[in-house]
Amino acid sequence: MGFARTCSVALVGVEGVVVEVQADLEPGVAAFTLVGLPDKSLVESKDRVRAAVVNSGAEWPQKKLTIGLSPASVPKSGSGFDLAVACAVLGAAERLDPRALTDLMMIGELGLDGRVRPVRGVLPAVLAAADAGYRQVVVPERTVAEASLVPGVSVLGVRSLRQLIAVLADEPVPDEAEDTLGDGRPDPLLSGLAVPGTGACAGLPSGDRALDLADVAGQHNARHALEVAAAGRHHIFFKGPPGAGKTMLAERLPGLLPPLSPKESLEVTAVHSVAGTLPPGQPLVDRPPYCAPHHSATMASLVGGGTGLPRPGAVSLAHHGVLFVDEAAECDARVLDALRQPLESGHVVVARAAGMMRMPARFLLALAANPCPCGRHGTTGGGCECRSSSIRRYRARLSGPLMDRVDLRIAVEPVARSELAALGSGAESTASVAARVRSARERAAARLADTPWNTNSEVPGHELRTRWQVHPGALAQAERDLECGLLTARGLDRVLRVAWTSADLAGRDRPTRRDVDWALELRTGVRRGGPAEVPGVVGTGVGAGVPRTGSGAGPGAPRSGPGAGEGVPGGGSGVEPGVGSVVP
């Protein structure tokens, strides 16, 4: 009787579970049994492993073979166990020394010819191995760079099972020629790293020319709000007619965000490695991702799910980056409301019959919507023919609880001809705005150095009210709005967070009354005085050039009647009561 064991990793979301792969050989009729809750692709490994071992020059044992995957209660999926199963079989057959396999972690798929093919999720698998105390990992050669991102782990990359057998048996290592395809054809070995239908590099910034904020004509208020959103990681909502520039602004938001920290880079890379969207040749993602799902996206594609074990959704692909939902009022209301929990917790837990998945989902949400189905309600030229009931139903698709979690609500007005003619003259570029954002982030990070939070949007309201005080009297207007029911308790906390971000951008030690009042303008759309002063920004206060009837309705909007003065879709349900009214 022969017995050998080695280890591999089963992934549930981006969390790995160390699996002991045991091989037992007993006299009897030749058979191959695989136990331990394997899925279909793992059951098929029996044929792949047998062919790979024979084609690698080793002898397949003609005995009763049992492969056990322990712990047996954890579901296992994928083809990444092939390499560990093959080595465990060879160890039980005494082709390899079983003692040399005990402390090895093996991850990789085997081809019928014995080649080792790369698999998804190598980075989170190696992270799980390191946490479990393993210091030697064997991976496919194409994923060595990704596995080497984990410190303290020795990584061995192999091209074939034949090479691994030679290394473990202390024999001369054969020189396996690397398979290359000419004529620009894709490498078939890399096909296992991408999920069909996801698209290459989905959710990740490309190496093409970065979108520049200087390309946006006018929109001073929206540009300033975009800067505040990037500096404090505040969620933002753009409302305006078609063609005003809502999508252009949102697409330039990732360029304002600072580069990812080493810890954030590992988290983002792990998610995209599991999802199969990691770009070839780019083992580490160092820039904030940007994910913009279509408004017809299902709940499973947005928050994660699918058949079998759940898969990462758009909220996880946008982790530490931007999730942009264009035409938000056209989305299914149930799908949008599913964002409410990850917006608060920073992660999403998806439970299915096959298992439960916990995925990170700390993203910056950007929403964009038209004011009505035709998009012309409240515009200067008018021409809106939508019924009042249609406008109310259209706006009600964005629920109040969801919009209560959005800190910044901006009316994007149509661009004037003079602004289009002046495009490029004096408009700030992404680089200059991003420099101010980095400075504001550094000020916030220094203030929050001894806390578990990194940005103003993460700080609980209780801490802001008790630990870091604003200027005396700065909260007077916000407290009156809270007493009158114009603000919720959550709304007051978020106003405080935006006020701190405004102070950081201006270089102040704590928010003044102008900072708080300006944060109230951003939340409610009601003009409350002059704009907050920010270095390098002139005339960018919310409400500049906007009638006092409320920026949500837009110029020319009626001050009474259905839809008048409503700051967001939802017939007023998305904001505190009284939005759009004139503050005495």
Side-chain angles (χ1 to χ4, degrees), residues 175-354:
D175 185 15
E176 298 282 357
E178 184 177 1
D179 292 332
T180 57
L181 294 179
D183 305 327
R185 289 183 292 171
D187 190 343
L189 289 181
L190 299 178
S191 60
L193 297 178
V195 177
T198 58
C201 312
L204 295 177
S206 63
D208 300 334
R209 173 182 176 270
L211 300 176
D212 200 330
L213 198 58
D215 298 335
V216 180
Q219 305 301 352
H220 303 294
N221 299 340
R223 291 167 62 97
H224 190 190
L226 206 67
E227 180 178 345
V228 174
R233 200 156 67 184
H234 303 286
H235 308 305
I236 188 169
F237 170 67
F238 298 106
K239 175 190 172 185
K246 304 185 295 295
T247 302
M248 286 187 66
L249 288 163
E251 289 176 342
R252 283 150 180 80
L253 182 54
L256 303 181
L257 299 178
L260 299 177
S261 67
K263 180 181 178 182
E264 292 172 343
S265 294
L266 285 178
E267 293 178 3
V268 174
T269 304
V271 172
H272 286 269
S273 178
V274 171
T277 58
L278 198 62
Q282 183 181 342
L284 183 66
V285 180
D286 57 359
R287 290 188 291 169
Y290 172 78
C291 194
H294 193 260
H295 61 261
S296 63
T298 62
M299 187 175 298
S301 66
L302 192 64
V303 302
T307 59
L309 285 175
R311 298 190 56 79
V315 296
S316 297
L317 295 177
H319 183 52
H320 289 311
V322 177
L323 175 66
F324 176 47
V325 182
D326 202 1
E327 302 295 345
E330 298 291 344
C331 297
D332 188 341
R334 291 178 61 253
V335 173
L336 281 181
D337 283 340
L339 297 175
R340 286 152 55 177
Q341 288 176 302
L343 284 176
E344 290 290 329
S345 62
H347 64 267
V348 59
V349 178
V350 181
R352 295 290 186 270

Side-chain angles (χ1 to χ4, degrees), residues 86-106:
C87 289
V89 171
L90 293 175
E94 299 183 353
R95 174 63 177 86
L96 298 175
D97 185 359
R99 293 172 298 179
L101 305 175
T102 304
D103 296 328
L104 282 181
M105 179 69 64
M106 301 185 184

